[in-house]
Amino acid sequence: MRELIEMEEHHFFQWFWLKSEDWSHEHLAQLMGLNDIEQNQEKMMQLALQYNQFDRFMQKLRRASLDEAGPVQADALQMRNNKRKIARCLKRLERHQKGEESLWEANLEVREELLQFFRSHHGAFETID
């Protein structure tokens, strides 16, 4: 998980941007070569356990991403000075959560700005789940 969290910094994204629909299981059986799973109850139970483990891991990864504050927290004055930029970042995140805008398709500068403000002003983003 630490490696995945470290990827955020390098690629300018955050795992908490993912929603449960982003890691949907609907095609996983086909990818794992389990097309005949309906006839084999044991395989079906094993797949259900894997789904559950994967879902728990992704939830844990999202929480770790949300908790990742970065090494230095910005002071209150700097936060007030950047209030409009922080609000813009929060609106972008809200639009992403609602499915109105995809942060995965945003250009590098937008993702870099989001990551910078999230890491610097972590407290302002506590309302994101």
Side-chain angles (χ1 to χ4, degrees):
M1 187 176 305
R2 180 74 352 229
E3 274 184 54
L4 294 174
I5 294 296
E6 288 171 5
M7 285 176 62
E8 292 182 333
E9 189 77 35
H10 181 70
H11 295 289
F12 302 111
F13 74 96
Q14 293 181 281
W15 292 106
F16 77 84
W17 295 351
L18 290 174
K19 300 180 290 250
S20 58
E21 303 89 57
D22 293 325
W23 67 81
S24 173
H25 304 133
E26 65 186 54
H27 301 294
L28 194 55
Q30 293 168 338
L31 292 172
M32 295 173 70
L34 301 172
N35 297 332
D36 62 340
I37 195 160
E38 291 83 17
Q39 288 77 27
N40 188 330
Q41 294 296 317
E42 186 177 335
K43 279 187 180 180
M44 191 177 287
M45 290 303 295
Q46 288 174 348
L47 186 61
L49 286 172
Q50 288 175 342
Y51 283 172
N52 192 21
Q53 289 171 345
F54 180 68
D55 195 57
R56 281 194 318 235
F57 174 77
M58 290 305 295
Q59 292 294 342
K60 190 175 176 181
L61 181 61
R62 286 185 76 239
R63 281 192 303 274
S65 175
L66 188 57
D67 291 341
E68 185 68 25
V72 178
Q73 288 286 320
D75 64 16
L77 177 62
Q78 187 181 7
M79 188 170 170
R80 280 196 306 273
N81 290 342
N82 292 323
K83 193 173 181 177
R84 280 189 301 249
K85 293 177 185 176
I86 294 167
R88 183 176 62 233
C89 290
L90 282 168
K91 285 179 184 167
R92 271 211 161 99
L93 285 170
E94 288 171 9
R95 287 193 306 267
H96 173 76
Q97 298 268 336
K98 291 177 184 176
E100 298 169 0
E101 174 185 353
S102 174
L103 292 177
W104 304 111
E105 296 170 2
N107 63 33
L108 183 64
E109 292 81 24
V110 168
R111 294 194 327 261
E112 187 174 9
E113 179 184 54
L114 280 166
L115 187 63
Q116 174 195 348
F117 280 102
F118 176 79
R119 294 276 168 84
S120 299
H121 307 285
H122 196 64
F125 290 81
E126 289 180 358
T127 58
I128 301 294
D129 57 5

